[in-house]
Amino acid sequence: QVDLQESGPGLVKPSETLSLTCSVSGGSIPGYYWSWVRLAAGKGLEWVGRISPNGYTNYNPSLNSRATVSVDTSKNQFYLKLVSVTAADTAVYFCAREIVECVMTNCYAKWWFDPWGQGAPVTVSS
Amino acid sequence: EIVLTQSPATLSLSPGERATLSCRASQSISSDLAWYQHKPGQAPRLLIYDASNRATGIPARFSGSGSGTDFTLIISSLETEDLAVYYCQQRSKWPRTFGQGTKVEIK
């Protein structure tokens, strides 16, 4: 069973960089799409960004190019960096794996997320 | 951006009752909709994908329906363990978006 665990500093100062790690156990990073999703108080879930098996990344335009998702397959971890943070970035950040469906030798990302980590709360405050 | 509007915001029901949760999309998304369950302090869990397909291991009391702009998640007989916030998510248009959630409370 694949398990995901987020980690990182719970407090970040305004204008600084938020850095989070997602550690994957019970499965390997290669071959899957990995995403970050956040939940701010009083709001719904917001998809942040993802990285594909070949390292291609996609981001939510609402983040104005501030986010970077990367991966280290040797550590079975992937990461989120969010620069120039403000109070609006205060949220619980979840990492998640995207469901992949394979037909013969072709595999397709489904944009459905399962499993997820339990989430890492991040507060942006001075 | 597609806006997903969930209703009601909160649903308070007794065990054994039927829960009906709604998700309305701001434009047609075909059947490109999923439902997730998020219990307090736990990881969110995929319940339903492609509007009506139950994910692996999901009890049969959970069912999804709808297409186009109107979608429904039904919990046929509520159990105390179903206390959670339920979110819908679309993958039809960019960027992928979620609804604001419906909180299910157990009386």
Side-chain angles (χ1 to χ4, degrees), chain A residues 10-86:
Chain A
L11 182 64
V12 183
K13 289 183 169 55
S15 80
E16 294 191 347
T17 297
L18 180 163
S19 295
L20 292 170
T21 298
C22 182
S23 299
V24 180
S25 58
S28 60
I29 291 265
Y32 288 94
Y33 292 70
W34 303 91
S35 275
W36 289 94
V37 180
R38 68 182 183 179
L39 178 62
K43 297 190 175 182
L45 292 164
E46 180 183 35
W47 175 76
V48 172
R50 60 120 77 139
I51 189 163
S52 73
N54 61 7
Y56 187 73
T57 51
N58 304 103
Y59 301 103
N60 193 320
S62 69
L63 294 166
N64 298 317
S65 302
R66 296 187 297 123
T68 301
V69 179
S70 59
V71 67
D72 186 334
T73 55
S74 68
K75 294 183 177 179
N76 228 33
Q77 294 176 331
F78 67 104
Y79 312 96
L80 172 67
K81 283 196 175 181
L82 187 63
V83 302
S84 304
V85 296
T86 70

Side-chain angles (χ1 to χ4, degrees), chain B:
Chain B
E1 175 175 310
I2 290 182
V3 176
L4 297 177
T5 303
Q6 291 188 241
S7 62
T10 304
L11 197 54
S12 185
L13 295 167
S14 298
E17 288 193 297
R18 178 184 178 97
T20 302
L21 288 68
S22 173
C23 177
R24 176 164 289 180
S26 58
Q27 59 184 279
S28 179
I29 57 171
S30 186
S31 296
D32 291 330
L33 187 102
W35 291 92
Y36 298 87
Q37 177 191 62
H38 187 204
K39 296 182 180 181
Q42 296 187 21
R45 179 171 71 151
L46 176 68
L47 295 176
I48 302 287
Y49 63 94
D50 295 350
S52 61
N53 295 317
R54 265 191 305 277
T56 302
I58 302 304
R61 66 180 182 275
F62 292 93
S63 64
S65 64
S67 66
T69 60
D70 290 312
F71 301 86
T72 302
L73 173 70
I74 289 177
I75 310 173
S76 60
S77 180
L78 205 60
E79 298 191 5
T80 54
E81 66 184 34
D82 298 333
L83 162 72
V85 180
Y86 293 82
Y87 295 95
C88 55
Q89 177 232 327
Q90 66 82 22
R91 65 164 187 186
S92 177
K93 300 289 194 298
W94 187 259
R96 309 324 190 199
T97 52
F98 293 83
Q100 298 282 84
T102 289
K103 183 177 182 180
V104 173
E105 297 179 337
I106 309 297
K107 283 182 182 176

